[in-house]
Amino acid sequence: MEAAVGDARQRLEERSLAPLRRTGPLYYGLILALLLVIAWGAYVYFYQAQEGLIVTGMRDRLSWGLYISLFVFFIGASMAGTFVSAILRITQAGWRKPVTRSAEMVTVAALVVAALFVTFDIGRPDRLLFLIIYGRWESPLIWDIYGLSTYLVGSLIYLYAALIPDLAFVRDRLGDSVPALKRWFWDAFSLGWTGTPSQHRYLSIILVTMMILMVPVAVMMHTVTSWIFAMTLREPWDSPLFGIYFVGGAIFSGTGIIIILMAVLRKVQHLEEFITEKHFSYLGYLMAAFALIMIFFNANEFVTHAYKLRGHIALHLQETFVGTLAPYFWTYFWGGLILPVVIVALPFTRNVAGLVVAAVLVNIGMFLERYLIVVGGMHLPLNPYPVPTYTPTWVEWSLMAAGASVFVLIIAVMVKLVPSMAVWEMLEEPAGEGDLGEAQPQRAARTARGGVQ
Amino acid sequence: MGSQGQAPESLQGENQRKWQLSRRRLLKLAGAAGATAVAAQLGAGLLREARGAEEEAQATPKRLRRWGMIIDLRRCDGCQSQGTPPKCTAACIEGHFAPEPMEWIEVYEHELPGGGTQFLPTPCMQCQNPPCVNVCPVGATWSTPEGHVLIDQNRCIGCRMCMAACPYERRFFTWGQPTVPLQSLFLEYSPEHQVPAKKGVVYKCDFCPEMARAGRLPFCAQACPQHAIYYGDLEADLATNGEAVVRFSQFISQENAFRYKDDLGTNPRVYYIPGHGEATGRSPDKKGKLPTRWTWEEKVKGGKTWKRQ
């Protein structure tokens, strides 16, 4: 048994170090492709800055569009990370260990991209600093900016603190075999970690403090994002449900993003032994539960609105269910809510491939949901005139692609600098459920089958 | 009254300034560049601010004006009888060099419950609980003590939060580089007369505070051929349409005035007297008005236009 655990440890170390040691041509291809898209995005952005927002599809009567939808979407994606990882750490769920790192990476990358989309939407990016210089605390937008920066800094601390032992581990193992820049990075950022008991004590104090702090901060972040909309007098947005609705939606789509990222890392870095089907099905259950919660929220929203049909709500419901927004809504409803629940519920689709499909569906659905919230709330005429139309232009699509590329790029760079699982947690607490002790029977089974592992 | 943005300090002084050719601007245009000019500008600015503060201190014992508007819909026929587009809108556009497609005062044609239509000229409602002011992240829009809601286009970052918040849709964004007429370059910019127009910021009806201070009616009220627009001071309890003077409070009570979307609690300063242009002999069944034209813009080249949508 001892020897077997030692074996598993060695394989864990090998697997987590391999991507940092070698980089294949596919990776460089990916980075190149991402950089090309980002370069195109930069060109388009300067074009937009020069011409003004006239190059977008937005106009006075529908003055927020794809950028704000994407801002909300990426804020939502960020939720999962720190929130899921903190909740799992607080509840001491042993199976969290291979999951937390990728979740935290998603948070950081998504927040950076969310901030990017706000900048795309602003008419005078040259005055962006005014938000700091003249910021008024009465404005929901300022709450969001303070919320976002607090959340980003907190997430970075949380991600980084849990990284220190792994950085030291990588430094010790690979210190001599890599370029000087990487060596310097590991050396500088591992802060002289040697794994002494006092270092562990301090680390656990930081982690416990951060994980307790990050949960309310994450909830606050999504609530104030919803308040940007809920603080206005537009009927579909004018709802006390909005805060919790956004929090729920954020955990929902964020979990989906973690599933996708984990599946990619598992495949690319050959982590099948450590990130098992069980991890996917646990995250799948979480996602399905939140799909049901989202259905509950939607039912609440529509039924209370539909019963009274106050103001423009009749038009809003008509547009949503059978009008111009109906294709988006029904794709969201059937594809983004019902189908993922079915995939998770059926035993023969509840596997890695099935859950990745479900997670992709959830994220497409949630993107459409964000779009429905922003455009659906905006397109109700407040004065006697026809319903305004909005079609995003090539400029908006280009910047959407560039933003998404930045998101992937940040994660792609991170997984080449640090191990994509919390190796030290998996190594040092073998008593928990779902770590190396857990990997054992599987390995035994594989050996019995004469597996190549 | 809700929480209101504070006027940037530098603008307190500007409130006192008249709409006139600015010496500072002229100097700049004449090309007096260099450190001397900068120093002179700075000195002048400081002096003006000190003077502004002094004037303000002297003005304190005076009663504070509370500007308001009454629009008599009985007299408004959407300028059908004139055979022109609404003249209030046209005069506002000419007076402010408002770029296409901005109609700071826009004449909406509302359906009447029994069929037919009425015309509703809608300037900025100058809400006393202004949703737009509450949400501005940088204090670029604020309520003045006299009740005007103004925008500082040099402060606005173009986030359009106020446009989402305004329930009357009285805010307009310069989506592209707007047309700027040559003569407007000689006017010094002030939030009270928002020229010359800039790209990527928000504009709206400013209620013509400088005109009021100079003892004149706003462009829209001056231009109305039926004298349907009364402008006045709730503090002095007087309003005029250029033809008659009425007691503000008495007039709105006696004529059953209402405020647009009053149930939202925005507390507007614009009152409407119900009607459909009957004083001009218009029948509610006579629908339609001519589309607004931006005649000044037709004479000036350059700049972009877009659709209001």
Side-chain angles (χ1 to χ4, degrees), chain A residues 34-117:
Chain A
L34 291 174
L35 286 176
L36 282 176
V37 178
I38 292 169
W40 170 249
Y43 166 73
V44 171
Y45 180 70
F46 281 110
Y47 170 69
Q48 179 189 286
Q50 199 167 22
E51 296 294 311
L53 290 170
I54 194 169
V55 296
T56 69
M58 299 181 279
R59 288 298 178 264
D60 281 351
R61 278 168 174 153
L62 213 153
S63 55
W64 281 343
L66 193 62
Y67 296 151
I68 295 293
S69 314
L70 285 162
F71 160 70
V72 178
F73 176 78
F74 276 101
I75 289 278
S78 79
M79 175 75 166
T82 302
F83 188 74
V84 167
S85 122
I87 285 283
L88 295 181
R89 216 172 240 146
I90 286 174
T91 53
Q92 299 193 334
W95 63 272
R96 76 170 191 275
K97 287 173 189 169
V99 179
T100 47
R101 178 72 41 82
S102 28
E104 288 155 19
M105 286 179 185
V106 168
T107 296
V108 171
L111 283 178
V112 172
V113 176
L116 214 55
F117 278 111

Side-chain angles (χ1 to χ4, degrees), chain B residues 132-153:
Chain B
C132 54
V133 168
N134 293 343
V135 299
C136 179
V138 292
T141 182
W142 72 95
S143 291
T144 68
E146 295 189 335
H148 295 116
V149 177
L150 298 178
I151 307 173
D152 181 358
Q153 277 88 11

Side-chain angles (χ1 to χ4, degrees), chain A residues 48-65 67-68 121-125 127-128 130-132 134-142 145 227-229 231-234 237 312 378 380-386 388-390, chain B residues 3-6 101-102 106 108-110 122 131 133-141 152-161 163-177 198-201 260-261 264 266 304-309:
Chain A
Q48 179 189 286
Q50 199 167 22
E51 296 294 311
L53 290 170
I54 194 169
V55 296
T56 69
M58 299 181 279
R59 288 298 178 264
D60 281 351
R61 278 168 174 153
L62 213 153
S63 55
W64 281 343
Y67 296 151
I68 295 293
D121 192 64
I122 273 179
R124 295 298 296 241
R127 297 179 181 167
L128 211 56
F130 283 13
L131 287 167
I132 315 284
Y134 303 116
R136 296 169 67 236
W137 66 268
E138 295 96 324
S139 167
L141 212 66
I142 291 291
I145 282 156
W227 284 352
I228 290 184
F229 304 98
M231 293 298 165
T232 68
L233 292 162
R234 289 179 188 253
W237 294 347
H312 291 98
M378 270 282 171
L380 294 183
L382 303 178
N383 281 309
Y385 66 88
T389 54
Y390 167 67
Chain B
S3 87
Q4 290 167 2
Q6 283 161 8
M102 293 188 188
E106 188 169 357
Y108 284 117
E109 192 171 9
H110 269 264
T122 41
V133 168
N134 293 343
V135 299
C136 179
V138 292
T141 182
D152 181 358
Q153 277 88 11
N154 287 341
R155 172 74 66 88
C156 176
I157 59 165
C159 68
R160 310 191 295 294
M161 183 85 208
M163 297 177 73
C166 176
Y168 303 98
E169 298 201 300
R170 292 332 300 152
R171 288 181 163 250
F172 308 82
F173 189 69
T174 40
W175 295 94
Q177 176 59 52
K198 300 173 183 73
K199 182 182 73 175
V201 288
Y260 192 26
K261 304 191 183 188
L264 295 177
T266 51
K304 292 221 165 90
T305 56
W306 52 90
K307 288 224 157 56
R308 180 98 203 274
Q309 203 183 64

Side-chain angles (χ1 to χ4, degrees), chain A residues 46 178 208 291 322 370 395:
Chain A
F46 281 110
V178 291
V208 168
V322 290
R370 301 325 194 182
V395 172

Side-chain angles (χ1 to χ4, degrees), chain A residues 168-292:
Chain A
F169 162 71
V170 178
R171 171 200 64 196
D172 296 344
R173 294 302 165 89
L174 298 179
D176 307 322
S177 57
V178 291
L181 192 65
K182 262 186 171 180
R183 196 161 59 225
W184 172 85
F185 175 79
W186 292 331
D187 209 33
F189 285 89
S190 54
L191 305 178
W193 175 274
T194 47
T196 63
S198 85
Q199 284 179 335
H200 271 288
R201 204 175 64 244
Y202 282 122
L203 181 67
S204 90
I205 291 172
I206 292 171
L207 282 178
V208 168
T209 314
M210 286 315 291
M211 77 192 182
I212 291 170
L213 280 179
M214 286 317 284
V215 176
V217 169
V219 171
M220 176 271 309
M221 169 82 250
H222 299 281
T223 311
V224 297
T225 303
S226 83
W227 284 352
I228 290 184
F229 304 98
M231 293 298 165
T232 68
L233 292 162
R234 289 179 188 253
E235 272 144 1
W237 294 347
D238 186 5
S239 158
L241 187 71
F242 245 48
I244 188 162
Y245 184 38
F246 270 50
V247 174
I251 302 177
F252 183 46
S253 67
T255 314
I257 292 214
I258 299 177
I259 291 180
I260 298 170
L261 176 62
M262 268 175 41
V264 172
L265 290 176
R266 181 178 191 254
K267 184 89 182 161
V268 174
Q269 302 190 346
H270 310 290
L271 305 174
E272 286 86 353
E273 187 183 353
F274 312 102
I275 304 179
T276 63
E277 295 233 339
K278 193 187 64 187
H279 294 107
F280 283 91
S281 41
Y282 281 1
L283 284 173
Y285 292 145
L286 189 66
M287 197 168 73
F290 272 90
L292 298 174

